[in-house]
Amino acid sequence: MRPLFLTLSILSPVFTTTASGAEGSQKDKRMNEHEKPNVILIYADDLGYGDLSCYGAQGVRTPNVDRLAAKGIRFTDMHAVAATSTPSRYSLLTGEYAWRRPDTDIANGDAAMIIQPWQYTLADMFKHSGYTTAVFGKWHLGLGNKSGEQDWNAPLAATPADLGFDHHYIMAATADRVPCVFIEDGCVANYDTSAPPIEVSYKQNFAGEPTGKEHPELLYNLKPAPKHGHDQSIVNGISRIGYMKGGGDALWKDENIADSITFHATQFIRKHHSKPFFIYFATNDVHVPRFPHPRFRGKSTMGLRGDAIVQFDWCVGQIMQTLDELGISDNTLIILSSDNGPVVNDGYQDQAEELLGNHKPSGPLRGYKYSAYEGGTRVPAIVCWPKCIKPQSKSDALMSQIDWMASLAALIDARLPKGSAPDSHNYLENLLGKKYTGRPWVIEQAANHTLSVRTSEWKYIEANDGPTMTWGSKVETGNCPTPQLYNMKSDVYEQENVAIQHPETVFELESILRKVRARKIPL
Ligand code: NG6
Ligand code: CA
């Protein structure tokens, strides 16, 4: 949907137009360059609904995130589009449900760029509205124009620069997938000319290169969990998914990833703060391999997973402090959220399960990352913009990240080209805490593409034949060969399937799904 022109009244008291103002008068009052807020999207990886202290975390304190929440609005029913990374990120940046497209599932490090340069992205939108744009951290949306055929020793053929980002400093995929190097503006950062060239394969190993499977004695930092993969090439004493060779000094050290992306992001803010900027700050935390810097070790009661959350909180604090130092906090809108729900054991021997204690990564919800249950996609979400949002706000509105593109378009008064962001709708008023009604329904995508429909009252999970547990991760998938219906008001943990008792509701929610699939539903 194309965004409506910004209803400036919602931005009061800063903007004083009335909601009924004709377009002509609204035009006069559109934000000029100096009024446009900076926008920072902080996107954590695998951070669960119950992983922050402002959401009830038990095993870790997150004072910086809590401060952000106290200055703004905290959402209790915000959904990532999918229960895994690549589809959630695809949808976030394009405003299109990933399940409409092939090849949007968890990408390997040698995947070609998934979003096509002709697609209109969130970054394009900001750039065309006069913003300087950048992405830091986890990319996981492919690079180059042909899978498996990138030359990592030369400028890459397709990068975030083709998608509206003026600057990028990114990891190609995830920290557990090769290549373990940062890509900066199209090339491997800190490229080491004295080292052998970088080669990457997801098919076969390179002669003479040790793997975690054959040489566990070389895994001095982290070992993979038994029967869980992650036992191929070894970088920094940790084995990964995929094979790589070369890289020398360009290879990352996992314990420095958070410092490195935070340094680059804060430098960017310092350099570009005199004009509006948009930053997509996508942390590696708290994805596996969890290997935070030594200064965060022991700062939670949960070992490496909890310490990685502390590290994430530190990154948030650094960004907030930089904005404060520059005097631009008031007019910077920060959105903080996660790409999918949490997971405890995701394939390394990091003692996440053993040290969990009474901490509940999904809070009161059932299921984790990968699941069709709520824990898969319902994630923490905080929006802070001191100039416009009332502090200490909380919203229980049903919301989805699919709407962020159209909502942010409304915020900055951007016109989206016809056909772009087709599934995104303007919920700016909800994001800013001016309205609390939310979406009539939200679609959730599980790892195996099972779709669910949520309304404020119900949750419908379509029938499917997948396994009830994911292999390795001990995660309940929520799969069931018959339709499931849960009453979210009385059964938030999705325990009692009441589909048989409420066939009319099942039919109604199935119909929504059918129409959304066929793109035949107005909102
Ligand atoms: C899975 C990995 C898991 C994680 C996930 C992607 C195995 C057994 N599991 O395939 O560790 O990397 O992919 O996570 O290899 S995501 O958050 O980026 O979607
Ligand atoms: Ca993730």
PDB file of all heavy atoms in Angstrom, residues 129-143:
ATOM      1  N   SER A 129      14.965  10.654   0.296  1.00  0.00           N
ATOM      2  CA  SER A 129      14.403  11.743   1.092  1.00  0.00           C
ATOM      3  C   SER A 129      15.496  12.605   1.713  1.00  0.00           C
ATOM      4  O   SER A 129      15.248  13.334   2.663  1.00  0.00           O
ATOM      5  CB  SER A 129      13.504  11.177   2.192  1.00  0.00           C
ATOM      6  OG  SER A 129      12.435  10.489   1.603  1.00  0.00           O
ATOM      7  N   GLY A 130      16.695  12.465   1.205  1.00  0.00           N
ATOM      8  CA  GLY A 130      17.776  13.361   1.634  1.00  0.00           C
ATOM      9  C   GLY A 130      18.612  12.841   2.785  1.00  0.00           C
ATOM     10  O   GLY A 130      19.455  13.552   3.321  1.00  0.00           O
ATOM     11  N   TYR A 131      18.378  11.607   3.181  1.00  0.00           N
ATOM     12  CA  TYR A 131      19.147  11.039   4.288  1.00  0.00           C
ATOM     13  C   TYR A 131      20.463  10.434   3.793  1.00  0.00           C
ATOM     14  O   TYR A 131      20.547   9.953   2.664  1.00  0.00           O
ATOM     15  CB  TYR A 131      18.353   9.916   4.960  1.00  0.00           C
ATOM     16  CG  TYR A 131      17.275  10.377   5.922  1.00  0.00           C
ATOM     17  CD1 TYR A 131      16.155  11.078   5.472  1.00  0.00           C
ATOM     18  CD2 TYR A 131      17.369  10.109   7.278  1.00  0.00           C
ATOM     19  CE1 TYR A 131      15.172  11.493   6.348  1.00  0.00           C
ATOM     20  CE2 TYR A 131      16.388  10.520   8.164  1.00  0.00           C
ATOM     21  CZ  TYR A 131      15.288  11.218   7.702  1.00  0.00           C
ATOM     22  OH  TYR A 131      14.327  11.624   8.573  1.00  0.00           O
ATOM     23  N   THR A 132      21.466  10.422   4.666  1.00  0.00           N
ATOM     24  CA  THR A 132      22.660   9.627   4.424  1.00  0.00           C
ATOM     25  C   THR A 132      22.398   8.287   5.106  1.00  0.00           C
ATOM     26  O   THR A 132      21.930   8.254   6.251  1.00  0.00           O
ATOM     27  CB  THR A 132      23.905  10.300   5.045  1.00  0.00           C
ATOM     28  OG1 THR A 132      23.906  11.662   4.633  1.00  0.00           O
ATOM     29  CG2 THR A 132      25.182   9.638   4.587  1.00  0.00           C
ATOM     30  N   THR A 133      22.671   7.201   4.404  1.00  0.00           N
ATOM     31  CA  THR A 133      22.201   5.889   4.866  1.00  0.00           C
ATOM     32  C   THR A 133      23.369   4.912   5.067  1.00  0.00           C
ATOM     33  O   THR A 133      24.349   4.954   4.317  1.00  0.00           O
ATOM     34  CB  THR A 133      21.239   5.284   3.826  1.00  0.00           C
ATOM     35  OG1 THR A 133      21.940   5.211   2.579  1.00  0.00           O
ATOM     36  CG2 THR A 133      19.989   6.118   3.638  1.00  0.00           C
ATOM     37  N   ALA A 134      23.232   4.050   6.056  1.00  0.00           N
ATOM     38  CA  ALA A 134      24.312   3.076   6.294  1.00  0.00           C
ATOM     39  C   ALA A 134      23.778   1.834   6.976  1.00  0.00           C
ATOM     40  O   ALA A 134      22.775   1.882   7.688  1.00  0.00           O
ATOM     41  CB  ALA A 134      25.401   3.700   7.161  1.00  0.00           C
ATOM     42  N   VAL A 135      24.460   0.726   6.733  1.00  0.00           N
ATOM     43  CA  VAL A 135      24.147  -0.529   7.434  1.00  0.00           C
ATOM     44  C   VAL A 135      25.432  -1.061   8.056  1.00  0.00           C
ATOM     45  O   VAL A 135      26.489  -1.075   7.428  1.00  0.00           O
ATOM     46  CB  VAL A 135      23.482  -1.574   6.498  1.00  0.00           C
ATOM     47  CG1 VAL A 135      24.247  -1.771   5.200  1.00  0.00           C
ATOM     48  CG2 VAL A 135      23.301  -2.921   7.207  1.00  0.00           C
ATOM     49  N   PHE A 136      25.303  -1.499   9.307  1.00  0.00           N
ATOM     50  CA  PHE A 136      26.431  -2.060  10.045  1.00  0.00           C
ATOM     51  C   PHE A 136      26.010  -3.401  10.629  1.00  0.00           C
ATOM     52  O   PHE A 136      24.924  -3.524  11.198  1.00  0.00           O
ATOM     53  CB  PHE A 136      26.847  -1.127  11.197  1.00  0.00           C
ATOM     54  CG  PHE A 136      27.228   0.241  10.725  1.00  0.00           C
ATOM     55  CD1 PHE A 136      26.294   1.279  10.750  1.00  0.00           C
ATOM     56  CD2 PHE A 136      28.500   0.510  10.227  1.00  0.00           C
ATOM     57  CE1 PHE A 136      26.626   2.544  10.286  1.00  0.00           C
ATOM     58  CE2 PHE A 136      28.838   1.778   9.774  1.00  0.00           C
ATOM     59  CZ  PHE A 136      27.896   2.796   9.803  1.00  0.00           C
ATOM     60  N   GLY A 137      26.893  -4.400  10.526  1.00  0.00           N
ATOM     61  CA  GLY A 137      26.649  -5.661  11.223  1.00  0.00           C
ATOM     62  C   GLY A 137      26.153  -6.769  10.321  1.00  0.00           C
ATOM     63  O   GLY A 137      26.591  -6.928   9.178  1.00  0.00           O
ATOM     64  N   LYS A 138      25.191  -7.521  10.854  1.00  0.00           N
ATOM     65  CA  LYS A 138      24.741  -8.729  10.157  1.00  0.00           C
ATOM     66  C   LYS A 138      23.884  -8.385   8.940  1.00  0.00           C
ATOM     67  O   LYS A 138      22.833  -7.751   9.073  1.00  0.00           O
ATOM     68  CB  LYS A 138      23.951  -9.594  11.123  1.00  0.00           C
ATOM     69  CG  LYS A 138      23.328 -10.819  10.459  1.00  0.00           C
ATOM     70  CD  LYS A 138      22.695 -11.738  11.463  1.00  0.00           C
ATOM     71  CE  LYS A 138      21.919 -12.850  10.780  1.00  0.00           C
ATOM     72  NZ  LYS A 138      21.417 -13.862  11.708  1.00  0.00           N
ATOM     73  N   TRP A 139      24.277  -8.842   7.802  1.00  0.00           N
ATOM     74  CA  TRP A 139      23.525  -8.590   6.570  1.00  0.00           C
ATOM     75  C   TRP A 139      22.583  -9.766   6.286  1.00  0.00           C
ATOM     76  O   TRP A 139      21.400  -9.687   6.379  1.00  0.00           O
ATOM     77  CB  TRP A 139      24.513  -8.333   5.417  1.00  0.00           C
ATOM     78  CG  TRP A 139      23.882  -8.082   4.081  1.00  0.00           C
ATOM     79  CD1 TRP A 139      24.063  -8.819   2.956  1.00  0.00           C
ATOM     80  CD2 TRP A 139      22.994  -7.016   3.733  1.00  0.00           C
ATOM     81  NE1 TRP A 139      23.343  -8.285   1.922  1.00  0.00           N
ATOM     82  CE2 TRP A 139      22.668  -7.181   2.377  1.00  0.00           C
ATOM     83  CE3 TRP A 139      22.420  -5.946   4.416  1.00  0.00           C
ATOM     84  CZ2 TRP A 139      21.804  -6.322   1.696  1.00  0.00           C
ATOM     85  CZ3 TRP A 139      21.556  -5.094   3.740  1.00  0.00           C
ATOM     86  CH2 TRP A 139      21.264  -5.286   2.407  1.00  0.00           C
ATOM     87  N   HIS A 140      23.145 -10.900   5.946  1.00  0.00           N
ATOM     88  CA  HIS A 140      22.376 -12.144   5.761  1.00  0.00           C
ATOM     89  C   HIS A 140      21.337 -12.071   4.652  1.00  0.00           C
ATOM     90  O   HIS A 140      20.288 -12.721   4.724  1.00  0.00           O
ATOM     91  CB  HIS A 140      21.715 -12.575   7.095  1.00  0.00           C
ATOM     92  CG  HIS A 140      21.593 -14.074   7.202  1.00  0.00           C
ATOM     93  ND1 HIS A 140      20.897 -14.714   8.187  1.00  0.00           N
ATOM     94  CD2 HIS A 140      22.089 -15.055   6.396  1.00  0.00           C
ATOM     95  CE1 HIS A 140      20.973 -16.016   8.016  1.00  0.00           C
ATOM     96  NE2 HIS A 140      21.692 -16.241   6.931  1.00  0.00           N
ATOM     97  N   LEU A 141      21.632 -11.258   3.632  1.00  0.00           N
ATOM     98  CA  LEU A 141      20.720 -11.161   2.488  1.00  0.00           C
ATOM     99  C   LEU A 141      21.481 -11.338   1.180  1.00  0.00           C
ATOM    100  O   LEU A 141      21.030 -10.888   0.131  1.00  0.00           O
ATOM    101  CB  LEU A 141      20.013  -9.803   2.510  1.00  0.00           C
ATOM    102  CG  LEU A 141      18.930  -9.662   3.600  1.00  0.00           C
ATOM    103  CD1 LEU A 141      18.527  -8.214   3.779  1.00  0.00           C
ATOM    104  CD2 LEU A 141      17.709 -10.516   3.256  1.00  0.00           C
ATOM    105  N   GLY A 142      22.630 -12.019   1.268  1.00  0.00           N
ATOM    106  CA  GLY A 142      23.378 -12.344   0.065  1.00  0.00           C
ATOM    107  C   GLY A 142      24.148 -11.166  -0.499  1.00  0.00           C
ATOM    108  O   GLY A 142      23.804  -9.999  -0.288  1.00  0.00           O
ATOM    109  N   LEU A 143      25.226 -11.513  -1.220  1.00  0.00           N
ATOM    110  CA  LEU A 143      26.071 -10.499  -1.852  1.00  0.00           C
ATOM    111  C   LEU A 143      26.506 -11.037  -3.211  1.00  0.00           C
ATOM    112  O   LEU A 143      26.595 -12.246  -3.401  1.00  0.00           O
ATOM    113  CB  LEU A 143      27.324 -10.230  -1.006  1.00  0.00           C
ATOM    114  CG  LEU A 143      27.112  -9.533   0.345  1.00  0.00           C
ATOM    115  CD1 LEU A 143      28.375  -9.622   1.192  1.00  0.00           C
ATOM    116  CD2 LEU A 143      26.701  -8.075   0.132  1.00  0.00           C
TER     117      LEU A 143
END
